[in-house]
Amino acid sequence: MASSLKVLIVDDDPDIVTFLEDFLSAKGYNILTAYSGEQGLNYVYTEDPDLILLDVVMPGMDGYAVCRQIRLNPLTTLLPVVMMTGIHPEERIKGIDVGADDFLTKPINQDEMFARVRSLLRIKELHDVIQTQATQLAKWNKELKTKLDHETRLADVTCMLGDIGHEVKNMLMPVLSGTELLQTELDEFFQSLPSPVLEKAKNSQRICEDIIDMVTRSAQRIQDQVKEIADCVKGLTSPLQLSPCDLSKVVETVYKTLQVLAVKKGITLQGENLESLPHIQADEGRLFKAFYNLVNNAIAEMPQGGSVTIQGFEDSSNSCIQVAVVDNGRGMPVEIRDSLFSTRVVSRKAGGTGLGTKIVKDVIDAHGGTITVESEVGIGTTFHLLLPYSPPDSLQPKH
Ligand SMILES: Nc1ncnc2c1ncn2[C@@H]1O[C@H](COP(=O)(O)OP(=O)(O)OP(=O)(O)O)[C@@H](O)[C@H]1O
Ligand SMILES: [Mg+2]
């Protein structure tokens, strides 16, 4: 162990240097010798010693000046320095002032010197180990942070992508049902034409059919692509865009968007007591998305006829509004009901992702609200939502 350690002896007295060098090299240390303060300081920076035995009184740069320089440099500030002083206590006080670690009084006692050198080198070795570990730790920490930042960004992007994907898929539904209705309308129209006129209109009919076919195929292709994305991700992250929000307007927009779908199945979409609700601080876009999903789900699970009703109720004592989305559709079995709002949801729908109710819950959670469901097969389903007048501070976006 000692053989790998380097001791620098700095003294202008060659006899003392030789005496120390002989003794310490016999103990297995590597010895460097310098005969002036300047030469000693030079070795400190070029030879990287593990300990210095430093004479105090030397011509030119004395031991105090050398020690002071060593302490000033961050690379050598912890390098052990043993000062070899005379018997005067002031010399030690001055040595302590400039940062010496230990002292040897001249004439030097070999055993004492060896004991002090060994003890300081032990401390130096331990310090070196800690230093290496700290450097390694700092490196790992930096690598970990970079990785974490990268993964957080990636997760954000992935969630966002899933969210947008689901939205696109939902918005394609009216396009697909609209084109289907358009096709029926056109068929009826062309069939109603008298034969001579129909003959002339054949070309227009073909063009209309081609266009409808193209729109339907493209919409279906987009839907397939988006489903792939949605299958990969289930979540929602970006900050809320809060503003005073009129829930009755949100529901009205949702109903308008889903009107075609509802009319096609003879379903009534209605609101109860929504106009009387107070405006709440909410992200209107997100609320639209939540109610769209709930109503869209209800329509899908409804036989011909039936109704979806959204009822509002103000709970001023709890500073919140309560909303119920009630349908008299086919209801859902317990295993589906209990898996709703999670990534375990099983979709019963062709082309469904099972992402919709998870998104609804994410929206309600992001507003500091709650959502629960009651459902009975053959009777219908009711989603109960609770939304605070304003999301708690902890959930509000930081500016
Ligand atoms: N109002 C409802 N009545 C009956 N069953 C429902 C109702 N709402 C949801 N479900 C059931 O819960 C399942 C999961 O709904 P969710 O919205 O999470 O996904 P999805 O509708 O299947 O797919 P996507 O949202 O991608 O269209 C639905 O497939 C359906 O079986
Ligand atoms: Mg859905």
Side-chain angles (χ1 to χ4, degrees):
M1 169 74 75
S3 61
S4 62
L5 294 167
K6 238 186 259 178
V7 176
L8 170 63
I9 302 165
V10 187
D11 201 312
D12 61 322
D13 183 337
D15 290 341
I16 293 182
V17 172
T18 310
F19 160 74
L20 293 171
E21 183 181 14
D22 288 351
F23 181 79
L24 289 174
S25 52
K27 295 287 182 192
Y29 295 109
N30 286 332
I31 304 298
L32 293 160
T33 55
Y35 297 90
S36 70
E38 289 82 355
Q39 191 187 10
L41 199 57
N42 187 37
Y43 279 161
V44 166
Y45 297 126
T46 55
E47 299 294 332
D48 195 21
D50 295 295
L51 178 138
I52 306 174
L53 290 172
L54 180 63
D55 186 22
V56 171
V57 183
M58 289 180 285
M61 197 176 200
D62 66 11
Y64 302 126
V66 173
C67 192
R68 200 176 292 116
Q69 286 301 314
I70 289 171
R71 292 295 172 250
L72 282 176
N73 187 326
L75 291 174
T76 54
T77 195
L78 291 169
L79 179 64
V81 176
V82 181
M83 280 197 146
M84 299 181 286
T85 65
I87 50 164
H88 302 297
E90 316 83 75
E91 288 184 31
R92 290 199 169 200
I93 293 169
K94 214 172 159 189
I96 290 168
D97 274 348
V98 295
D101 295 292
D102 211 341
F103 299 92
L104 283 168
T105 311
K106 285 183 175 177
I108 289 164
N109 174 295
Q110 278 183 344
D111 293 336
E112 185 192 357
M113 184 264 292
F114 185 43
R116 288 183 194 275
V117 166
R118 254 189 334 206
S119 137
L120 279 172
L121 282 174
R122 230 181 357 250
I123 295 170
K124 164 81 165 44
E125 274 184 302
L126 281 175
H127 172 262
D128 285 352
V129 170
I130 292 169
Q131 189 69 43
T132 314
Q133 286 173 344
T135 313
Q136 185 62 42
L137 264 173
K139 193 171 154 248
W140 285 342
N141 199 20
K142 202 171 157 213
E143 283 170 6
L144 218 67
K145 196 172 170 310
T146 315
K147 211 167 158 205
L148 209 70
D149 283 353
H150 180 72
E151 282 182 3
T152 308
R153 267 204 309 277
L154 211 66
D156 281 354
V157 172
T158 315
C159 284
M160 200 64 118
L161 209 66
D163 215 23
I164 295 168
H166 188 261
E167 200 64 0
V168 172
K169 184 186 80 72
N170 274 347
M171 294 303 156
L172 282 174
M173 298 273 269
V175 176
L176 284 167
S177 19
T179 38
E180 211 180 309
L181 282 180
L182 196 65
Q183 179 71 66
T184 317
E185 279 292 312
L186 280 170
D187 285 349
E188 282 172 12
F189 170 72
F190 283 114
Q191 271 160 29
S192 68
L193 294 177
S195 311
V197 184
L198 180 63
E199 208 44 51
K200 281 190 190 152
K202 270 272 180 260
N203 201 29
S204 307
Q205 188 181 17
R206 209 169 23 255
I207 291 172
C208 288
E209 278 169 0
D210 285 352
I211 292 172
I212 289 175
D213 190 48
M214 183 189 70
V215 172
T216 311
R217 277 163 190 265
S218 301
Q220 269 161 355
R221 211 168 305 134
I222 297 172
Q223 207 174 36
D224 290 347
Q225 295 278 305
V226 160
K227 185 173 181 304
E228 263 179 50
I229 299 173
D231 279 347
C232 301
V233 268
K234 306 206 170 189
L236 172 145
T237 44
S238 65
L240 291 179
Q241 306 283 324
L242 293 176
S243 62
C245 172
D246 179 352
L247 196 72
S248 69
K249 289 272 176 315
V250 175
V251 172
E252 196 184 313
T253 322
V254 170
Y255 280 174
K256 265 190 196 150
T257 320
L258 288 167
Q259 195 60 34
V260 179
L261 219 61
V263 167
K264 197 172 142 196
K265 291 183 82 177
I267 292 166
T268 316
L269 303 177
Q270 55 200 15
E272 269 177 30
N273 199 34
L274 297 175
E275 278 82 10
S276 68
L277 291 177
H279 290 194
I280 56 168
Q281 277 295 112
D283 185 322
E284 208 165 298
R286 292 262 170 87
L287 283 192
F288 172 87
K289 200 179 331 190
F291 284 96
Y292 183 98
N293 273 292
L294 291 174
V295 178
N296 190 32
N297 279 347
I299 293 174
E301 300 297 333
M302 192 88 66
Q304 204 67 25
S307 65
V308 181
T309 311
I310 301 188
Q311 303 161 337
F313 170 73
E314 181 180 5
D315 180 359
S316 54
S317 54
N318 287 310
S319 306
C320 68
I321 59 169
Q322 290 176 16
V323 185
V325 182
V326 189
D327 72 61
N328 53 4
R330 65 168 171 156
M332 61 186 108
V334 181
E335 60 278 14
I336 292 190
R337 191 196 62 202
D338 291 349
S339 72
L340 287 190
F341 317 127
S342 73
T343 47
R344 294 178 291 115
V345 178
V346 185
S347 176
R348 279 191 292 183
K349 210 181 283 174
T353 60
L355 199 62
T357 49
K358 165 86 172 69
I359 287 179
V360 176
K361 178 155 166 51
D362 284 341
V363 169
I364 305 304
D365 284 350
H367 285 83
T370 57
I371 180 165
T372 51
V373 63
E374 281 179 275
S375 188
E376 220 175 307
V377 175
I379 305 285
T381 301
T382 301
F383 284 89
H384 297 279
L385 285 76
L386 199 144
L387 285 163
Y389 288 161
S390 178
D393 286 349
S394 58
L395 292 176
Q396 301 225 6
K398 312 274 172 292
H399 296 292

